[in-house]
Amino acid sequence: MNKRSFLTLLLPTAGILLASPATFAQTDAPLPQVEGEVRRVDAAQGRITLRHGDIPNLDMGAMTMVFRVRDPALLKEVKAGDKVRFTAQMVDGQLTVLSLTVAH
């Protein structure tokens, strides 16, 4: 095997090594809906504090914490004390709420 044919075989494999870990973590499975309660809304910063149940896709147990929201318009529909259902994911290294609806 000459050098050129070796590189031809190696280069497609090298691309896999250069891919980010997030590339392999992505799945087509829908995100789980999580129940929570709004503790605080910070529209100016695009953040919401939620007391929430387990978030299986993030391997996170129930707790109260601050999340960034992907779409600040989501914060217009909720206020402290509201019971909500939401989805969350790690986006650009930050825990981010992707969807948020008031539970009835």
Side-chain angles (χ1 to χ4, degrees):
M1 176 178 283
N2 66 27
K3 189 176 188 179
R4 179 178 223 152
S5 60
F6 176 74
L7 289 175
T8 302
L9 291 172
L10 179 64
L11 287 177
T13 306
I16 292 172
L17 298 174
L18 297 174
S20 73
T23 301
F24 299 105
Q26 295 174 359
T27 66
D28 292 331
L31 295 173
Q33 289 281 320
V34 179
E35 293 183 7
E37 180 183 337
V38 177
R39 307 301 277 172
R40 182 170 183 245
V41 175
D42 185 350
Q45 295 295 315
R47 300 188 185 283
I48 188 168
T49 304
L50 296 169
R51 185 177 75 191
H52 60 81
D54 293 344
I55 306 176
N57 62 303
L58 296 174
D59 196 26
M60 181 181 296
M63 65 180 76
T64 299
M65 66 178 308
V66 178
F67 292 86
R68 180 178 75 148
V69 292
R70 177 173 63 181
D71 180 3
L74 294 172
L75 299 178
K76 294 178 183 178
E77 306 299 321
V78 296
K79 63 185 181 316
D82 283 349
K83 304 287 187 201
V84 295
R85 295 184 61 76
F86 68 98
T87 60
Q89 185 71 294
M90 188 69 73
V91 177
D92 297 329
Q94 293 187 341
L95 294 169
T96 305
V97 170
L98 303 179
S99 68
L100 180 69
T101 56
V102 176
H104 298 285

